[in-house]
Amino acid sequence: MTFIARLAGTATIITSLWIGAAGAETVLKSSDTHPDGYPTVEAVKYFGQLVKERTNGRYSVEVYHSAQLGEEKDTIEQVRTGVIDLNRISMAPFNGIIAETKVPSLPYLFRSEDHMHKVMDGAIGDEIKAAFEPAGLVALAFYDSGARSFYNSKKPITSKDDMAGLKFRVIQSDIFVDTVKALGANATPMPYGEVYSAIETGVIDGAENNFPSYDTAKHAEVAKFYSLDEHMMVPEVFVMAKSSWDKLSPEDQAIFKQAAMESVAKQRELWAAKVKESRAKVETAGSKVTTPDKQPFIDAMAPVYEKYVTDQKLKDMVERIKATQ
Ligand code: GTR
């Protein structure tokens, strides 16, 4: 081999290595409405780290937190059409698209976080995951979101009757609207990012969420009365565009699934700590937490179940969840 040929050979190897390194990395975009550091954002970052390590850098994940890619409803369309690859989102905005997601969004369905974990980690959780596929999505994981409770700027809620006439922002899902109505209050569905100013300007009296959201979205600054009625325990879901998923080799799909599973444990750990931290923070800053008797809230929910648990499949699912010990 002449010197020139050797030189050309080396150049080819160097060029292909360079293309290999640069061209092999597929950066997957992931959306989250929450700010950096929030347990869901951190869990998806952790998932990305694992995926990057285990695919030798062929795949990595970039998390666009703080609703940089838009409000949840808009990002659903983006991930369904493959404009973005991944999305961490509440299960509730899927209620109008995927019937099975209505079930874990039902008020007072889960008795405790343990009960919710048993259901979502088991066969019912798998059925709900499978229901995302016809919508063009692969559900990789469910994350914790604790319990949602009402908060407002007007007065402490010490019993269900105190809810009468108050106007609450809810997630854009009809189940939420009817849950609030059933409690004698008014519901206004609106995107998460608009809630702070809507409370501040008095367009609404309050909203409903868990402590970490109430704290990090700064709603606690404008709505000091938090009532621990814990009316819903809607899990978060981490989804991937089916079109992006189908591009992965079976080996890579297995890596993604395993990484997602491991990110669940991570998220739960971060979540439990964040709930305590956020509650302490808002209380120190002046939020007043009341604990109304839950039974009248629970008793008022019959019309919601009648309206949304209509077909036999959903009825069975609700019964199986109630029977899960
Ligand atoms: C949070 C949830 C977000 C978003 C938000 C909301 O608990 O983590 O994904 O759905 O509630 O109320 O819009």
Side-chain angles (χ1 to χ4, degrees):
M1 200 190 277
T2 67
F3 175 70
I4 298 288
R6 243 185 289 142
L7 207 65
T10 313
T12 313
I13 292 170
I14 291 174
T15 315
S16 62
L17 275 178
W18 183 78
I19 292 174
E25 192 184 350
T26 304
V27 182
L28 304 169
K29 273 190 176 180
S30 190
S31 173
D32 199 311
T33 199
H34 290 303
D36 204 15
Y38 198 90
T40 52
V41 171
E42 294 309 306
V44 174
K45 282 194 205 162
Y46 182 68
F47 162 84
Q49 258 173 40
L50 297 179
V51 161
K52 190 167 183 174
E53 277 162 31
R54 295 171 187 177
T55 61
N56 299 316
R58 285 180 292 106
Y59 289 95
S60 69
V61 174
E62 199 163 337
V63 182
Y64 290 78
H65 55 76
S66 312
Q68 291 171 67
L69 300 178
E71 296 285 351
E72 289 194 335
K73 262 216 142 156
D74 307 323
T75 62
I76 290 185
E77 286 322 305
Q78 293 175 34
V79 71
R80 286 186 73 187
T81 52
V83 171
I84 58 173
D85 309 283
L86 296 159
N87 201 355
R88 194 298 309 162
I89 187 167
S90 165
M91 192 102 80
F94 286 106
N95 290 169
I97 306 170
I98 303 167
E100 285 81 349
T101 65
K102 289 190 263 183
V103 174
S105 309
L106 288 166
Y108 295 108
L109 175 68
F110 297 117
R111 295 182 297 270
S112 64
E113 263 185 25
D114 266 3
H115 181 212
M116 186 269 289
H117 287 160
K118 281 216 178 89
V119 171
M120 300 310 289
D121 293 347
I124 297 174
D126 288 343
E127 285 166 40
I128 298 172
K129 276 189 183 149
F132 279 78
E133 291 238 10
L137 297 167
V138 175
L140 291 173
F142 296 126
Y143 292 142
D144 277 10
S145 194
R148 302 178 73 98
S149 289
F150 291 102
Y151 47 85
N152 79 92
S153 61
K154 294 280 186 296
K155 59 177 187 188
I157 307 288
T158 54
S159 75
K160 183 201 145 259
D161 295 345
D162 291 330
M163 295 286 291
L166 288 173
K167 198 169 177 185
F168 293 100
R169 172 271 176 176
V170 290
I171 287 199
Q172 290 145 297
S173 153
D174 293 345
I175 295 184
F176 280 64
V177 173
D178 286 304
T179 297
V180 171
K181 270 194 204 154
L183 294 168
N186 305 307
T188 308
M190 81 174 59
Y192 192 50
E194 293 172 18
V195 179
Y196 182 97
S197 64
I199 300 176
E200 196 183 27
T201 56
V203 171
I204 49 174
D205 300 314
E208 43 84 58
N209 226 312
N210 49 51
F211 279 116
S213 294
Y214 175 59
D215 163 29
T216 57
K218 309 214 181 305
H219 298 171
E221 287 178 4
V222 286
K224 294 257 173 253
F225 302 106
Y226 189 100
S227 67
L228 212 48
D229 57 85
E230 302 182 309
H231 54 274
M232 281 170 183
M233 228 176 250
V234 190
E236 317 278 17
V237 62
F238 179 41
V239 293
M240 185 161 184
K242 179 86 169 53
S243 52
S244 306
W245 176 257
D246 289 342
K247 286 185 200 139
L248 301 177
S249 66
E251 293 77 22
D252 286 340
Q253 289 181 346
I255 291 175
F256 275 55
K257 277 204 171 146
Q258 178 65 26
M261 209 177 84
E262 291 174 38
S263 75
V264 170
K266 176 87 174 170
Q267 197 270 346
R268 286 186 185 167
E269 195 186 305
L270 294 172
W271 179 255
K274 188 74 181 172
V275 172
K276 284 198 192 114
E277 180 200 308
S278 286
R279 181 171 181 172
K281 191 171 151 203
V282 296
E283 288 196 272
T284 307
S287 281
K288 299 275 172 266
V289 179
T290 51
T291 312
D293 178 9
K294 280 191 206 171
Q295 201 53 50
F297 284 78
I298 297 171
D299 294 343
M301 292 303 125
V304 180
Y305 279 73
E306 266 156 40
K307 185 162 173 189
Y308 293 98
V309 190
T310 43
D311 69 70
Q312 200 51 44
K313 196 173 169 192
L314 299 192
K315 275 187 189 154
D316 288 349
M317 203 180 258
V318 168
E319 285 319 309
R320 282 157 63 211
I321 291 177
K322 286 186 178 162
T324 304
Q325 287 309 316

